[in-house]
Amino acid sequence: MSTDTDTSIAVNPLAGALRPALRPARTVVRWGVRHGLPAVLLDRGARGGDPVGRLLRNPAVRDDPHPLYEELRARGSLSPSSIGLVTASHAVASEILRSDRFGVGWDRSQAPRLIRWALRFGDELDATGVAEPPSMLVVDPPDHTRFRRLVGRAFTPRATAAFEPVVQRTADTLLDALERDPGTRSGEIDLIDAYAAQLPVLVIADLLGVPTERRADFLRWGAAAAATLDPGLPFRRYVAAERALRAMHAFLREHFARLRRDPGDDLVSRLVGLPDDEALTERELHATVMLLLGAGFETTMNLLGNGVALLDAHREQWEALRVAPTGWDGAVEEILRFDSPVQLTGRTVKDGGTLAGRPVRAGTRVTVLLGAANRDPEVFREPGRFDVGRANARDHLAFSAGIHYCVGAGLARLEGVVGLRTLSERFPHLRVTGRPVRRDLRTLRGFEHLPVTLR
Ligand code: HEM
């Protein structure tokens, strides 16, 4: 089956001198096919009551998607939507994510001619986002298996455990600085800016061997990359995101050249130095490292921010964890379940058949609501209750399942436990004192600002 990973897209007839001159036109076409057209469809769907349209477009649903999830659950385990099917069921989501009847690629040869042309015309390595092929997130085997094997070596349980001192040291250094900062003695600080974003970006920079001094750039680029995960971005926001993606690709190109000359003991040095029979193409290398860098902090900062907000709202559980810190492992699972940093993903039916007792045709898109599956009462008793002692919290799908199960799940858990436990030990009286502001994102869920006082 031809998928979105087709190498034919790289063979653009408009090569050479024409390319720079056509850049603005290509940006418009790229936006049109990836965001403009979906926005029209989703808005029309939202006006007609379509759940996915409302989820992705309605501002009130962004702040609290759970009433919509419950409405969907009441309709059954699989519902139609304007872009295929949608599920809020844990059982159906697990089946889809684990089954090889579903893939992440899609058969672009079935798309209308104009769309095929637009995808080809708009294709450009330097404008490619984290969820565009050949990012492993959106390619099927055998390419997916190849990327996953190369990257997975750096994320084995043993490799992750060896990272604990780095995570602890990073958390301590950040909190030492806050402790010394006279501004934090009486005043309010933004915990996202000062800690929740910094810890994961410093840890992933260490793992990938990228210079930590560039962390402000990574955070800016990561935010732009995260925005492109939501279909339907307005043009101006897309242009800003594309500018950030270009800067990120340019940085990566220089970084790869540096590591080829002077390799270190890090994952990216290993990836650029692979023997010929395993070597990644330039495009694959960009896609893989960009995904690791972005996924490595964009999600984990949400875990930390969501966790602090939840534990502030359930103060007795924060106090209980201070007395019995072994409970942090379970607490992190419950935070991931209750307020999942990644709310949704999607799959395409590869082989037609039935799903949840309903016939499904090859090519149908299914939106899998991870955040809703994690509140499924068939699996979690009183799912709307936040309880760090919940025995089966770990059954959540916050890291997905099947072959795309989050490669960094172990590292994210480690950062969650060390990051939150250390914060609670150093600043036990921390309180959320200002109005938290959610990020303007749908696929990812977290806070843009979380104003706290530390003492
Ligand atoms: C709380 C933090 C995190 C959450 C909630 C999270 C969640 C996810 C989810 C839901 C997926 C799969 C999406 C799908 O099935 O379509 C995924 C994949 C992935 N994650 Fe994470 N992630 C987190 C942290 C990390 C970290 C720290 C890294 C790496 C350093 C990372 C790297 C990746 C990669 C490379 C994939 C693609 C795996 C594949 O396609 O095979 N993630 N993550």
Side-chain angles (χ1 to χ4, degrees):
M1 178 174 115
S2 146
T3 71
D4 204 24
T5 59
D6 273 356
T7 46
S8 61
I9 58 170
V11 186
N12 196 314
L14 291 156
L18 267 179
R19 280 181 173 254
L22 286 172
R23 190 189 269 182
R26 295 169 82 192
T27 298
V28 173
V29 168
R30 207 159 28 239
W31 168 78
V33 73
R34 297 213 176 256
H35 295 281
L37 191 60
V40 172
L41 295 176
L42 290 166
D43 283 341
R44 199 168 60 198
R47 281 195 298 276
D50 169 48
V52 177
R54 284 161 61 207
L55 181 65
L56 292 172
R57 306 294 292 170
N58 185 331
V61 176
R62 183 204 63 188
D63 288 345
D64 182 9
H66 291 283
L68 175 67
Y69 293 163
E70 293 320 312
E71 193 187 311
L72 259 174
R73 204 186 311 285
R75 290 191 206 171
S77 56
L78 191 64
S79 307
S81 92
S82 57
I83 50 166
L85 296 166
V86 55
T87 183
S89 149
H90 189 286
V92 176
S94 301
E95 180 182 342
I96 294 169
L97 297 170
R98 292 188 164 96
S99 159
D100 59 9
R101 288 173 48 216
F102 297 84
V104 287
W106 60 285
D107 186 355
R108 62 170 62 208
S109 70
Q110 301 298 310
R113 225 180 144 136
L114 185 64
I115 302 283
R116 286 203 315 266
W117 170 83
L119 287 168
R120 242 189 355 258
F121 179 70
D123 177 57
E124 193 185 350
L125 190 162
D126 281 7
T128 306
V130 287
E132 287 174 58
S135 157
M136 84 177 86
L137 204 51
V138 287
V139 298
D140 292 321
D143 281 336
H144 176 263
T145 321
R146 184 163 58 90
F147 301 148
R148 185 82 194 201
R149 209 181 44 236
L150 292 174
V151 162
R153 294 173 195 162
F155 293 95
T156 58
R158 182 198 283 237
T160 303
F163 237 72
E164 179 156 2
V166 175
V167 178
Q168 186 65 64
R169 198 168 52 240
T170 310
D172 287 338
T173 308
L174 289 167
L175 295 175
D176 284 347
L178 287 179
E179 181 112 56
R180 281 194 307 270
D181 182 351
T184 66
R185 286 196 195 285
S186 50
E188 204 171 70
I189 60 151
D190 182 359
L191 192 76
I192 303 299
D193 190 39
Y195 186 64
Q198 302 294 331
L199 176 64
V201 79
L202 288 167
V203 169
I204 196 71
D206 188 302
L207 195 138
L208 297 179
V210 295
T212 51
E213 314 84 74
R214 298 292 301 268
R215 68 184 194 259
D217 287 332
F218 301 147
L219 287 168
R220 205 161 29 80
W221 300 338
T228 63
L229 295 176
D230 293 339
L233 270 193
F235 184 66
R236 287 165 82 100
R237 231 178 130 198
Y238 174 75
V239 170
E242 191 178 296
R243 202 175 305 124
L245 290 175
R246 285 183 189 283
M248 198 163 176
H249 282 291
F251 162 79
L252 288 178
R253 189 165 289 116
E254 277 173 29
H255 185 56
F256 298 152
R258 205 166 33 243
L259 295 183
R260 282 190 178 109
R261 286 194 306 272
D262 183 18
D265 181 27
D266 57 80
L267 174 58
V268 183
S269 293
R270 283 201 291 285
L271 291 177
V272 296
L274 286 168
D276 285 352
D277 58 338
E278 276 190 305
L280 294 171
T281 65
E282 199 62 8
R283 191 176 262 260
E284 291 170 347
L285 195 56
H286 275 254
T288 304
V289 179
M290 191 158 167
L291 174 66
L292 286 169
L293 185 57
F297 65 82
E298 274 297 322
T299 44
T300 315
M301 65 189 258
N302 296 340
L303 163 63
L304 295 172
N306 296 353
V308 170
L310 280 169
L311 289 164
D312 183 71
H314 300 84
R315 196 65 190 174
E316 72 296 348
Q317 303 195 39
W318 168 269
E319 302 295 346
L321 286 162
R322 282 183 53 212
V323 178
T326 51
W328 277 109
D329 289 328
V332 164
E333 300 305 327
E334 179 66 349
I335 297 163
L336 288 162
R337 180 195 78 81
F338 193 87
D339 200 12
S340 310
V342 181
Q343 286 284 308
L344 59 107
T345 184
R347 294 292 185 268
T348 305
V349 180
K350 283 202 287 193
D351 301 319
T354 57
L355 176 66
R358 177 189 190 117
V360 287
R361 276 189 303 132
T364 304
R365 190 76 187 152
V366 190
T367 303
V368 179
L369 300 175
L370 303 172
N374 291 341
R375 299 268 191 113
D376 189 337
E378 297 280 328
V379 178
F380 303 104
R381 208 149 56 89
E382 292 186 73
R385 192 165 57 83
F386 178 72
D387 174 8
V388 296
R390 184 180 291 277
N392 71 341
R394 211 180 153 102
D395 293 341
H396 64 71
L397 296 174
F399 291 121
S400 189
I403 62 169
H404 292 275
Y405 180 80
C406 176
V407 89
L411 180 62
R413 286 184 160 120
L414 178 67
E415 291 183 58
V417 170
V418 173
L420 292 172
R421 189 187 57 215
T422 311
L423 181 68
S424 78
E425 285 165 359
R426 297 285 294 272
F427 296 108
H429 305 299
L430 178 150
R431 292 304 319 234
V432 175
T433 40
R435 193 177 67 83
V437 179
R438 284 276 178 195
R439 305 177 74 187
D440 188 14
L441 301 172
R442 313 297 166 113
T443 304
L444 302 188
R445 181 167 171 80
F447 290 101
E448 181 87 42
H449 301 293
L450 189 60
V452 301
T453 46
L454 293 175
R455 309 165 212 254

